[in-house]
Amino acid sequence: MSRFHVSITPEPDSRTAKATRNSQSSLPYSANSGTHLSMSSSHNKYSVLLPTYNERDNLPIIIWLLAKTFKEHKLDYEVIIIDDNSPDGTLEVAKQLQQVYGEERIVLRPRAGKLGLGTAYIHGIQNATGNFVIIMDADMSHHPKAIPDFIRVQKERDYDIVTGTRYAGNGGVYGWDLRRKLTSRGANFIADLLLSPGVSDLTGSFRLYKKDVLHQIINATVSKGYVFQMEMMVRAKQFNFSVAEVPITFVDRVFGESKLGANEIVGYLKGLWTLFTSV
């Protein structure tokens, strides 16, 4: 029997946190391979991978929010910034942040140019010292306040992956126009229809992985660009990894411009068809 399943866990607030914790005791259990790292270990470290390109205005804020979140919850962490030679000086800002927070917390792994999201993750995971890896956007679309919820849910059933969802529970999107919302919904609908990945938000990019699980999935993933995130969930199902979903609020970037354009949409559709015919 396949181990792959998805549990959706509501994002708790101060009034419902206790009820949420109690209700989670009935979540289905999914056994994990003995080769996977376990949350029962005495110490866990979380490596946050932040690929950046022209994020000089957003980077100081997201780093401050990350540091605040990890400190408040007494979690060991590092943030690995993978900058692809941003012309706006993002790397220089990152160097200043490293001086403020320390080299053990802010790790800089710049690259010579825009080499793609997938290779950025590979580059980052090669330098990660944590046993868990968090991937998220650097533009503040993903708020670090959700990270403790990801970790709490992961501990409940020793999940291999916890992914944020905009399209289940009380998740949502703010700041998008109708065209952008329809594009995202349509992309997820078509992917779900063709691939049946078992998750409600296939194109999301806010996730918590066991490090060895992420390494295995990335090594098997061949897509580039926005299709990369989608294929990672398809591979997770292929390898029978257990996945839980946590509803998140996605907020459109405040500074900078979206990197989603017509070329990315066409590339997504081509990649979707490739996965449909090959996986």
Side-chain angles (χ1 to χ4, degrees):
M1 179 179 295
S2 170
R3 294 191 295 112
F4 183 87
H5 72 276
V6 175
S7 293
I8 299 176
T9 305
E11 183 181 28
D13 55 32
S14 57
R15 294 168 297 177
T16 62
K18 183 176 180 181
T20 300
R21 286 194 296 268
N22 290 338
S23 67
Q24 286 173 339
S25 62
S26 61
L27 286 171
Y29 177 77
S30 176
N32 292 297
S33 167
T35 61
H36 296 164
L37 295 169
S38 171
M39 285 295 296
S40 63
S41 59
S42 60
H43 178 77
N44 291 302
K45 182 175 182 179
Y46 299 89
S47 298
V48 181
L49 304 188
L50 277 187
T52 59
Y53 188 77
N54 288 346
E55 300 289 359
R56 65 168 295 138
D57 293 325
N58 292 312
L59 192 59
I61 305 173
I62 193 67
I63 292 296
W64 182 82
L65 289 170
L66 282 166
K68 179 176 182 289
T69 299
F70 284 117
K71 182 177 180 180
E72 287 179 350
H73 292 270
K74 297 180 174 60
L75 298 168
D76 193 9
Y77 75 98
E78 64 183 358
V79 181
I80 302 175
I81 300 173
I82 307 107
D83 185 66
D84 278 0
N85 197 24
S86 298
D88 73 341
T90 297
L91 183 58
E92 295 307 313
V93 172
K95 290 178 180 177
Q96 296 177 33
L97 292 169
Q98 188 180 58
Q99 293 178 359
V100 173
Y101 294 96
E103 294 184 2
E104 74 281 0
R105 297 301 187 194
I106 308 298
V107 181
L108 306 183
R109 292 295 180 265
R111 303 193 297 174
K114 293 189 71 173
L115 303 175
L117 186 62
T119 57
Y121 288 147
I122 293 173
H123 189 60
I125 200 172
Q126 288 173 344
N127 294 278
T129 61
N131 54 328
F132 287 89
V133 175
I134 296 168
I135 63 171
M136 61 188 300
D137 293 343
D139 61 6
M140 294 186 296
S141 296
H142 302 141
H143 200 295
K145 69 180 181 181
I147 290 176
D149 292 331
F150 282 32
I151 294 172
R152 171 180 52 80
V153 170
Q154 193 283 325
K155 289 181 178 180
E156 291 286 342
R157 295 294 182 268
D158 194 24
Y159 288 106
D160 297 310
I161 305 166
V162 177
T163 182
T165 177
R166 298 162 290 182
Y167 302 128
N170 60 343
V173 175
Y174 293 90
W176 279 1
D177 58 21
L178 181 60
R179 172 182 170 275
R180 186 74 184 273
K181 289 181 179 179
L182 289 176
T183 299
S184 179
R185 282 285 194 174
N188 275 281
F189 174 78
I190 295 172
D192 185 62
L193 184 66
L194 294 178
L195 302 175
S196 301
V199 292
S200 61
D201 192 350
L202 194 59
T203 59
S205 55
F206 192 5
R207 297 171 184 162
L208 167 68
Y209 291 86
K210 291 180 178 179
K211 182 180 178 180
D212 59 327
V213 167
L214 178 59
H215 190 271
Q216 183 176 343
I217 290 175
I218 285 181
N219 284 341
T221 301
V222 297
S223 302
K224 297 181 180 179
Y226 288 89
V227 185
F228 185 82
Q229 300 288 4
M230 176 178 65
E231 184 179 351
M232 289 174 73
M233 286 294 95
V234 174
R235 297 297 179 186
K237 179 180 180 180
Q238 182 182 35
F239 296 146
N240 291 328
F241 290 130
S242 57
V243 182
E245 290 190 306
V246 172
I248 62 168
T249 299
F250 179 96
V251 180
D252 196 20
R253 62 166 56 242
V254 177
F255 300 110
E257 298 180 356
S258 172
K259 301 173 180 67
L260 178 63
N263 290 336
E264 285 74 20
I265 294 174
V266 172
Y268 174 86
L269 293 174
K270 289 181 178 178
L272 178 60
W273 180 253
T274 299
L275 284 178
F276 175 69
T277 57
S278 63
V279 177

